[in-house]
Amino acid sequence: MKNVIFISPNFPTNYWQFCRELKNNGLNVLGIGDQPYNELLPELKESLNEYYKVNSLEDYDEVYRAVAFFAFKYGRIDFIESNNEYWLEQDAKLRTDFNIRTGFQEKDLPRIKYKSKMKKYYEKAGIPVARYHLVDTVKKCQDFIKTVGYPVIVKPDNGVGASHIYKLENDAELNAFFEEKEPDVSYIMEEFINAEINSYDAIIDSHGEPIFETGNCTPISIMDSVNYGDDAIFYIEKNLAEDTKKAGRDTVKSFGVKSRFVHFEFFRLLTDHEGIGKKGTIMALEVNMRPCGGFTPDMINFARETDVYKIWADMVAFDHTEKEIGGYHYCGFAGLRDYKDYVLSHEEIIEKYGDHLKMTARLPEALSAAMGNNIYMATFDTKEELDTFFRDLLETR
């Protein structure tokens, strides 16, 4: 029987479903988290064979001891996973220290965590990348900007999500960035790309082959949602575009991805861009070696009438799945802000779109900066219906 350790099974709150499906597949599911056991969701408790509470998941020695305890009690650990960007580095270190080969090791981290190092592997796959400069001095950054022009995007080279990202329009903003940037953080500066984000979301088996594929589109920048408090909208595509699928599969091969749920982000150019390609061209943005965040796995389930928690657990247990896809729909996400005065009230949204709505929720503060305070997810069969849904919900007085 395989032993699987799931790190932080209680957060995000929907991740208990990964544990449920692992247990349903007959695996020993061993949780490590910092939430007291009696505060765990009943569904999560039922999905775990055992839970080890640590005082802090940030304390590597404490988490190491938890893994050692499980290894002593249950025998060899076959998988360690969190499916969470924040813990990817710790997951890799634990696998390395305990010689668990079913996942990325410490030596693999640079190419999957540092945006500057990702570019080499995108280029190896034949996928265009944005020109960049690792931030050092104002003068050298200005020299780079003379080549690519303003605006430029600056973000941590090893960053999580869309926090601490800057769009610099002129020298004054460049100088302001240098005054306020974190001194111990390495930043990457890239030319600005006028594009929307198209993703490749897939579950990959141990041979590097996809057993499930889909993708989403983000017409509003997550960076703007976080930094400027804009509404958050994106949607699961009804059908994954062939060029996105090819780029995703080529990226899997180039990065050597095996036994993972991945979320790869690409730009699709909205205008011609010299040196990259014509409008509509797919180019690299960044790889994320975990599922798309928040409730996106549930949105994928709604769009495909399937269960990606089950498909991922099947990959872990059997390296394949027989779970079928029941349909193909768009699934839209709208995250609304408390401070905005929207035309439609919550009750009016429910009344108008009740037949299409799959989930509504109030997000915790940890997620609301990126995704909005009140969220709505709904499925549609046509792009026109989806666009109307977004227009209705985002309209303000």
Side-chain angles (χ1 to χ4, degrees), residues 285-298:
L285 178 52
E286 65 183 59
V287 295
N288 298 281
M289 299 298 180
R290 41 75 181 172
C292 189
F295 293 99
T296 307
D298 302 283

Side-chain angles (χ1 to χ4, degrees), residues 220-259:
I220 292 180
S221 165
I222 293 295
M223 176 183 71
D224 291 342
S225 297
V226 173
N227 293 340
Y228 308 119
D230 284 358
D231 299 308
I233 66 169
F234 71 97
Y235 58 90
I236 306 299
E237 294 278 12
K238 183 175 182 179
N239 294 289
L240 182 62
E242 286 302 316
D243 55 356
T244 306
K245 183 186 295 184
K246 182 180 186 308
R249 291 180 176 183
D250 290 346
T251 301
V252 166
K253 299 300 183 186
S254 183
F255 280 81
V257 180
K258 296 178 180 179
S259 303

Side-chain angles (χ1 to χ4, degrees), residues 291-343:
C292 189
F295 293 99
T296 307
D298 302 283
M299 291 177 61
I300 294 172
N301 288 345
F302 300 146
R304 292 292 181 272
E305 298 178 25
T306 191
D307 188 341
V308 293
Y309 301 105
K310 166 67 172 169
I311 296 171
W312 177 82
D314 286 352
M315 178 274 294
V316 173
F318 315 120
D319 208 28
H320 71 277
T321 187
E322 296 181 2
K323 182 67 180 175
E324 297 181 351
I325 295 173
Y328 288 83
H329 316 281
Y330 293 100
C331 184
F333 173 101
L336 308 186
R337 303 289 178 179
D338 284 346
Y339 74 90
K340 288 192 173 184
D341 185 15
Y342 296 100
V343 170

Side-chain angles (χ1 to χ4, degrees), residues 1-5 27-30 70-71 74-80:
M1 181 181 293
K2 287 185 177 179
N3 297 313
V4 179
I5 291 179
L27 279 60
N28 275 332
V29 188
L30 311 168
F70 282 144
Y74 294 96
R76 179 174 177 80
I77 304 301
D78 298 284
F79 263 79
I80 288 183

Side-chain angles (χ1 to χ4, degrees), residues 32-247:
I32 300 175
D34 54 11
Q35 187 173 19
Y37 180 77
N38 61 0
E39 295 178 8
L40 299 180
L41 290 173
E43 298 92 339
L44 175 55
K45 291 180 181 178
E46 293 174 3
S47 302
L48 298 174
N49 293 83
E50 189 166 349
Y51 179 73
Y52 190 114
K53 181 192 175 298
V54 295
N55 292 316
S56 172
L57 285 171
E58 304 276 0
D59 185 337
Y60 183 78
D61 289 340
E62 193 175 10
V63 177
Y64 179 96
R65 288 194 296 272
V67 175
F69 169 79
F70 282 144
F72 175 78
K73 183 172 181 178
Y74 294 96
R76 179 174 177 80
I77 304 301
D78 298 284
F79 263 79
I80 288 183
E81 192 53 78
S82 66
N83 280 337
N84 191 322
E85 182 80 28
Y86 192 80
W87 303 117
L88 287 186
E89 294 179 54
Q90 180 172 268
D91 293 348
K93 182 170 174 54
L94 288 168
R95 291 191 202 101
T96 301
D97 288 348
F98 285 90
N99 194 30
I100 300 166
R101 313 311 295 179
T102 50
F104 287 116
Q105 309 292 299
E106 269 194 293
K107 63 180 175 60
D108 300 313
L109 288 174
R111 76 175 185 274
I112 67 173
K113 290 293 291 180
Y114 289 87
K115 297 173 178 64
S116 59
K117 297 183 185 301
M118 293 176 189
K119 293 179 183 290
K120 171 184 174 182
Y121 294 89
Y122 276 123
E123 291 175 323
K124 179 182 173 183
I127 301 169
V129 300
R131 290 171 289 182
Y132 77 100
H133 174 75
L134 288 175
V135 172
D136 42 18
T137 67
V138 174
K139 175 64 170 61
K140 290 182 179 180
C141 287
Q142 288 174 330
D143 290 342
F144 171 72
I145 293 167
K146 286 178 183 177
T147 301
V148 302
Y150 280 113
V152 291
I153 302 297
V154 182
K155 50 193 173 184
D157 195 20
N158 179 13
V160 177
S163 59
H164 303 290
I165 297 182
Y166 302 81
K167 183 180 181 181
L168 308 180
E169 304 273 2
N170 49 55
D171 283 351
E173 292 183 2
L174 175 66
N175 290 326
F177 160 73
F178 268 88
E179 290 178 2
E180 66 181 65
K181 73 181 182 70
E182 297 289 337
D184 299 327
V185 174
S186 175
Y187 290 87
I188 182 173
M189 177 179 288
E190 295 180 309
E191 62 182 315
F192 176 76
I193 305 295
N194 182 24
E196 66 180 14
I197 297 175
N198 286 199
S199 79
Y200 173 80
D201 298 82
I203 298 172
I204 310 299
D205 69 14
S206 68
H207 306 287
E209 299 296 332
I211 62 174
F212 176 84
E213 297 170 299
T214 186
N216 67 52
C217 177
T218 306
I220 292 180
S221 165
I222 293 295
M223 176 183 71
D224 291 342
S225 297
V226 173
N227 293 340
Y228 308 119
D230 284 358
D231 299 308
I233 66 169
F234 71 97
Y235 58 90
I236 306 299
E237 294 278 12
K238 183 175 182 179
N239 294 289
L240 182 62
E242 286 302 316
D243 55 356
T244 306
K245 183 186 295 184
K246 182 180 186 308

